[in-house]
Each structure stands twice: as structure tokens, then as C-alpha cells.
Amino acid sequence: MRNLRVSADRIAADIDALAAITDPGRPWTRRAFSPRFDEGRVWIADAFRRAGLSVETDASGNLIGTRAGTVPGAGTIMLGSHSDTVPDGGRFDGVAGVVVALEVARMLAERGIALRHDLAVVDFLAEEVSVFGVSCIGSRGMAGVRPVEWLTREHEGRTLEQAVRDVGGDPTTVAPRTDVRAFLELHIEQGTVLEGSGTDLGLVTAIAGIERIEVVLTGQAGHAGTTPMDRRADALVAAAGLVTDIDAEAGARASRGHFTATVGEFSIEPGAANVIPNRARLLIDARSADRAAMEDFVTWVETRAGRLPEGISGAVRLVSDNYPTRTDAGLLTRLAAAADRVGATHRPMVSGAGHDTAFMARIAPAAMVFVPSRDGRSHCAEEFTENDSIALGAEVLAETVLALDAGE
């Protein structure tokens, strides 16, 4: 292990402590707006205070620890991620980024290093898809782009507005934060690129845009035993061909740059063994860092859904449309220089997953650092990242913070 200023032992202990706060029998589950999440927030707030940070919950429900700089009005360098998890799979996803941000603040304090800028450590509220069916609630709020209509969403009799209040926020006063001069987030890769190439760190150049495209194919129901094979309008057979073509098309596009397409939802009607399906619905999750490539793919889906067997009709609907986000080139240059000084190998990468950084990039220069994931596993109990990898990423973030503060 390299000679680091950050403490790998403290990082490991913090991750272990948060992992212990989980729903009974469900490692690792600490969903936003749940009692376990609230318990985790208490632990994090206490850790912030022990590190000498002033603690607050902002209007959007984000938990923030701040270390004041020596130059009033110089602005804020912000580090962070999220502590909420998906069900059964959040030991490192998000948590590593919060803990690393905290460790950077601790290292600076114990070495007596004063910054001109304020340093803020943030645990964003509900980065994962929440019980209200929406994600990145806290970072959208900090960026001033959280839809106001979201506040009326309900889960078990509680609105999102009340849930944000319950964690200490004030959802009626959300406005974009204007003092952030730079935002950095460390995250586990959730893929196999770094591990497979033996690279220490990934420097994220873009966060993929995500399209959700619904396709409904309509045919004709009929008796499974009496309708001749050459007289059928089987919606499922037509849908099966479409799914196969979607996979092949996405594979071809992936050879030209990061691109994925997944049929993650699929249903047929009427759903009886002895009835020919007359309706098939599929939902495509498509992701790309290239907006033009994504728009072209949507056109391809519409065209392909118009080329169906006789008796089958298709309807295409864009369910959601999220643009890709480019990270800040200047910050990436600084991160690369910091990695070189620390002796960490690195490579540019595209993130196929969404992150809070995508919304912070709307109000400040923002960038991400990835650390390797074992076997690319994530959002599952087997998710694992070596602690030495996380500590190395923390050292690079610390080095970058010092360079940013000095104006280098």
C-alpha cells in the first residue's frame, strides 16, 4: 500500500459501521425515508461533528458537514455522495463516497491544513430510486431542478413533501445553491472495466443519458389448439423478434462508444397457456453519453416497430428522457494530475449509471472518480470494493482539493 495521508483504517471502520445499520436479515438495506436510513443519518451527523464539521440539513434534505475556510466569500469545495441503498445491496454504493469525503476533511484537520475555501461534505438525500418512485431527490433539490409536482407523491399515506420534512428539510424553499466552486464524487465503478484492465481509478468523462421507451405490440387472440400456425397474429412472437433485434442493434452501437439497451420489463396478455397472446408490452432502458446516438436509436426503435408481421401493429412511447451529462474538463485534468502525483494509474470512462454528480454539474464544475468493483457486482449483497482502492481514491481527492484551493 502506498504511503497515504488519509487513513485506510478509518475508512474501513466507517464503512463497516454503516453496513451494520441495515434492515434485519437484509444486508445491506438502508432505504431513504426508512428508520434504518434515519439511524444511519444520526451516525453520519455524529461522525461529521467528531471531525470538527458544523452540521446542517438543507432545505432539500441533504445532510451537510462544513469546515469553514480562511477567506470569507471564497466559495465552497464540495465532496460527497449518498448513504441510502437499494434493497439488499448497498455496502459500498454511495457509502464509499460519503466516507471518503469525511476522511478528506479529517485528514486536513489532523494535519492542521487550512483551506481558503469552505469544504463541504454532503450526504445527498435519496439518490437511489425511493419508495416514492423517484431518485436523486436531494441533488435535484440542491440544483433547483426537483419537479414541484413530486412533492405530492404518496407512499403509505405519507407525501414526499412530508417525508422531506421528516428528515429535516423544508421542501417549499428549494433554490439552486450558488456558492459551490467545484464538486467531486468518489463512487464504486459498478462494472468490470477497471478490474479487467488492472487500472486503479476511472476518471468519469460523462454520465450517460437514460431513455425509457415503451413499445406495445397488438395482435389477435385465438385458441392455441385450433388456430392454424399460418393464420396467427401472435404478439409475443413479434415481440420476441423485436427484443432480439434491440439487443443486436445495441451491440453494434456499443462498438462505436458507450451504449446499452435492455428490455427490463416484459408482459403479455391475456396470459393463458391455451390462448395466443394478443398484446405484448416491453420497456426499453437505453443509455448513452452521446445524445445524437440516443436520438438515432429512438428513431430506429420507431422504424423497427413499424416493420412487423402481418396482423401486428406497434405503438412506441417515450416514457422518460434524460440527457447525458459531461463532467468538467478542468476538474478531470486536475484529478489526472493528482493521480499522477499519488502514483495511481487512471483511465477515462463513461458512467452508465446515474449519479448525483449529474445534477451538481448544473450549478458547478463537477467530476467523478471511480474505484474498482470486484467482478463488477453492484446493487446486490455481493457488492465489494477493496479498501485499499477506496483509500487510494480518497488520497487523489484530497490532493485535488488542495490543488483547487491553491488555484493550481
Side-chain angles (χ1 to χ4, degrees):
M1 183 63 187
R2 299 166 176 84
N3 184 24
L4 305 181
R5 292 165 294 183
V6 299
S7 169
D9 289 342
R10 280 194 304 232
I11 290 171
D14 287 350
I15 291 174
D16 286 347
L18 281 167
I21 304 172
T22 183
D23 286 349
R26 300 191 68 184
W28 319 92
T29 303
R30 194 172 50 255
R31 299 196 73 188
F33 309 113
S34 73
R36 294 294 83 73
F37 176 75
D38 294 342
E39 186 179 347
R41 274 282 178 92
V42 169
W43 188 95
I44 294 169
D46 185 56
F48 283 179
R49 294 187 185 98
R50 292 197 306 271
L53 306 177
S54 61
V55 180
E56 66 168 330
T57 300
D58 72 4
S60 299
N62 302 305
L63 181 64
I64 304 171
T66 303
R67 182 175 186 258
T70 60
V71 180
T76 301
I77 298 172
M78 182 176 284
L79 312 175
S81 193
H82 62 98
S83 67
D84 67 310
T85 78
V86 298
D88 305 316
R91 182 173 172 83
F92 297 92
D93 179 355
V95 172
V98 175
V99 168
V100 159
L102 169 61
E103 177 56 25
V104 171
R106 282 188 300 221
M107 183 277 288
L108 294 174
E110 72 180 7
R111 290 176 175 262
I113 299 174
L115 300 180
R116 296 184 306 113
H117 296 82
D118 290 351
L119 180 69
V121 178
V122 59
D123 172 24
F124 289 108
L125 177 64
E127 190 268 359
E128 304 288 4
V129 176
S130 67
V131 292
F132 295 96
V134 291
S135 60
C136 294
I137 293 171
S139 53
R140 290 177 197 260
M142 187 178 287
V145 296
R146 189 200 64 216
V148 66
E149 60 269 21
W150 281 13
L151 296 178
T152 60
R153 287 174 169 258
E154 291 190 17
H155 175 72
E156 295 183 350
R158 181 169 65 157
T159 64
L160 177 57
E161 179 175 0
Q162 184 58 52
V164 173
R165 293 188 187 282
D166 290 343
V167 299
D170 180 8
T172 63
T173 62
V174 169
R177 187 161 172 167
T178 59
D179 65 310
V180 182
R181 300 294 175 259
F183 174 77
L184 298 170
E185 179 177 8
L186 178 141
H187 205 280
I188 63 171
E189 180 195 348
Q190 303 175 280
T192 59
V193 173
L194 294 175
E195 183 183 58
S197 62
T199 309
D200 293 324
L201 304 173
L203 306 184
V204 178
T205 59
I207 299 170
I210 306 174
E211 307 291 295
R212 300 272 164 73
I213 310 163
E214 180 188 66
V215 182
V216 176
L217 303 186
T218 304
Q220 177 65 55
H223 196 291
T226 61
T227 307
M229 296 300 294
D230 62 352
R231 299 289 298 277
R232 298 181 175 208
D234 189 325
L236 176 55
V237 171
L242 176 59
V243 171
T244 300
D245 286 353
I246 289 168
D247 184 71
E249 181 68 18
R253 291 171 181 269
S255 67
R256 303 190 293 270
H258 183 90
F259 194 97
T260 63
T262 306
V263 177
E265 292 185 17
F266 192 99
S267 61
I268 60 171
E269 296 177 8
N274 61 348
V275 181
I276 298 166
N278 70 332
R279 184 180 189 273
R281 174 191 177 272
L282 53 103
L283 187 64
I284 307 166
D285 176 302
R287 306 189 182 210
S288 176
D290 185 332
R291 179 64 184 181
M294 180 60 73
E295 291 177 348
D296 185 66
F297 177 73
V298 173
T299 300
W300 177 89
V301 172
E302 292 171 340
T303 301
R304 175 59 180 81
R307 296 197 310 266
L308 299 167
E310 186 177 352
I312 306 291
S313 62
V316 178
R317 180 173 70 94
L318 195 60
V319 176
S320 63
D321 179 17
N322 294 293
Y323 279 57
T325 299
R326 294 284 172 183
T327 53
D328 184 76
L331 281 182
L332 290 174
T333 299
R334 286 186 165 90
L335 284 166
D340 290 340
R341 289 193 295 271
V342 170
T345 58
H346 54 89
R347 61 180 292 166
M349 293 185 64
V350 169
S351 172
H355 299 283
D356 290 309
T357 296
F359 296 97
M360 293 305 296
R362 302 189 182 204
I363 60 171
M368 294 189 74
V369 174
F370 277 172
V371 292
S373 297
R374 180 186 291 175
D375 298 326
R377 302 297 299 278
S378 184
H379 283 193
C380 60
E382 293 78 18
E383 176 182 278
F384 188 80
T385 291
E386 295 288 348
N387 192 64
D388 285 353
S389 295
I390 299 172
L392 182 60
E395 187 73 15
V396 170
L397 252 63
E399 182 73 13
T400 305
V401 166
L402 291 171
L404 284 168
D405 187 65
E408 297 175 357

